[in-house]
Amino acid sequence: MKDFMSYADSLKILKDTINAWEKVEKVAITDALDRNIAYDVKAAENYPAKPVSAMDGYAFAFKDGLNELELITDLPAGSDKGLHVEGSKCVKTFTGSLMSEGTDTLVPVENVEVSGSKIIIKKSVPKGFAVRAVGESYKKGEILIKKGTRLTYAEIALLAELGVFHVSVFIRPRVAILATGSEIKDLGEPLDSPAQIHSSNHVGIAMQIRKMGAEPILCEIVRDKAELVEKAIINALKSADILVTTGGISMGDYDFVKGALNENFKLIIEGAAIKPGRHIRVAKSGDKYIFALPGFPYSAMVMCVLYVRVLINTWFSQEEPKITAIMDEDYKKRSPFLEFTAVNLENRDGKIFVNLNGKKLGSSAIVNNLTNEAALLIIPKETEFIAKGEVVEVLKMPC
């Protein structure tokens, strides 16, 4: 058996070749959903900058035993009368209004009885009640959104609160996906014989790539002919930053992708001691990357996460989404390699458990093992058995 390098060593080789992704564009925040921000967003000032009412009520200066107040005026949200309140006086203050100078507490409207200009407190509140303190949301200089963050509705709302309209985001890398094999047909094409199947991995990988924040480009399927494979690879790289191929990298007579890479590009990774996908090839052409993945769909999609996502996440300054969980059943390792096995995650009482319910044993062709938001159980090379109750490491898939 070939002496493959470790997965960790292969990732180090890959990362050592990665230059910073400096392709950036400005977009309106209304068009920035799911884009990766290209800089740290810092608070320019405290927010709120002054104490603010958190509900409708009466603002006053707290004093033990005080149960009767004199109403002097009201203060709608958005107005600033420059009031200074002393003694047992109060100001009717509405949600979002500034607290008047001299006040530090707000008693809600439902806690009082109003008699003319007199406010009688029926239910007391502690000092500082219902007042948003200066800097409650964030303080000046605080990093609010880290570089590389995928912008969700929440980050976009925060940018709007900051008064930002245009934001700099990373341009999505263009990822060409090229499926190879005389046995596969594209979607919509009829199968000519029982020996043929419809390709699924190129479509699945395209969806993974989109979830990773990149732009997928689906290439035409290429039959197993050396000259066709080589031409397709060269053409795909003309319009893409990354090329992902599936099939043609193992040890067979028709594995022409491997030959095309060996002859035309600088190979940086030639296999890794992992299951699935140990025959992976990674090559470079200038600043462009070629990831040659296995042809079986489960294996191809797992390997896309293990390698292509690492490149994109490095460009976007993101960490790999690993978590720890509790094994919910015994598990016997199936190979002498580092294994990545599809599992289910279940949250029970705040704890994450791992099980293999519904996951089928067999080859790396079983794509349905990745359904239902499957994750990947990471089983170290030296591990032979995992007992129920052990803490394990899990890698989340894009979903």
Side-chain angles (χ1 to χ4, degrees), residues 73-268:
T73 189
D74 64 2
L75 188 65
S79 62
D80 184 3
K81 297 182 178 180
L83 299 172
H84 183 81
V85 180
E86 297 177 337
S88 59
K89 295 182 174 59
C90 71
V91 176
K92 189 170 186 180
T93 304
F94 299 88
T95 304
S97 296
L98 294 177
M99 293 291 291
S100 299
E101 187 179 346
T103 67
D104 56 18
T105 305
L106 187 127
V107 58
V109 292
E110 58 267 28
N111 287 26
V112 306
E113 180 182 297
V114 181
S115 177
S117 62
K118 185 182 294 185
I119 307 299
I120 301 169
I121 301 175
K122 293 296 187 180
K123 184 178 180 181
S124 62
V125 295
K127 183 177 181 178
F129 185 80
V131 177
R132 294 191 63 209
V134 171
E136 179 195 64
S137 291
Y138 40 81
K139 295 191 166 47
K140 182 177 180 179
E142 183 179 344
I143 295 177
L144 304 179
I145 306 175
K146 290 184 178 180
K147 178 180 178 181
T149 297
R150 183 75 54 84
L151 297 176
T152 69
Y153 70 90
E155 286 82 16
I156 289 173
L158 178 56
L159 290 167
E161 183 175 88
L162 294 168
V164 174
F165 181 64
H166 285 98
V167 61
S168 294
V169 296
F170 288 115
I171 291 176
R172 294 185 179 101
R174 291 168 60 84
V175 183
I177 301 133
L178 175 66
T180 71
S182 297
E183 79 282 10
I184 57 175
K185 290 279 192 173
D186 211 338
L187 307 184
E189 292 184 332
L191 302 181
D192 299 323
S193 77
Q196 295 180 334
I197 59 171
H198 283 115
S199 176
S200 60
N201 50 19
H202 68 312
V203 177
I205 286 173
M207 299 303 101
Q208 287 184 315
I209 293 298
R210 187 170 293 165
K211 283 290 187 178
M212 294 173 193
E215 179 184 345
I217 305 168
L218 280 174
C219 302
E220 291 186 1
I221 291 173
V222 179
R223 289 180 292 125
D224 288 324
K225 286 194 174 182
E227 63 274 15
L228 295 179
V229 170
E230 182 175 334
K231 182 178 179 181
I233 288 174
I234 292 171
N235 285 341
L237 284 172
K238 291 177 181 178
S239 59
D241 304 292
I242 301 169
L243 170 62
V244 176
T245 70
T246 62
I249 62 166
S250 190
M251 306 298 290
D253 294 340
Y254 294 93
D255 290 326
F256 296 120
V257 171
K258 181 172 63 176
L261 295 185
N262 289 339
E263 293 175 11
N264 296 285
F265 306 103
K266 178 183 178 182
L267 275 173
I268 59 175

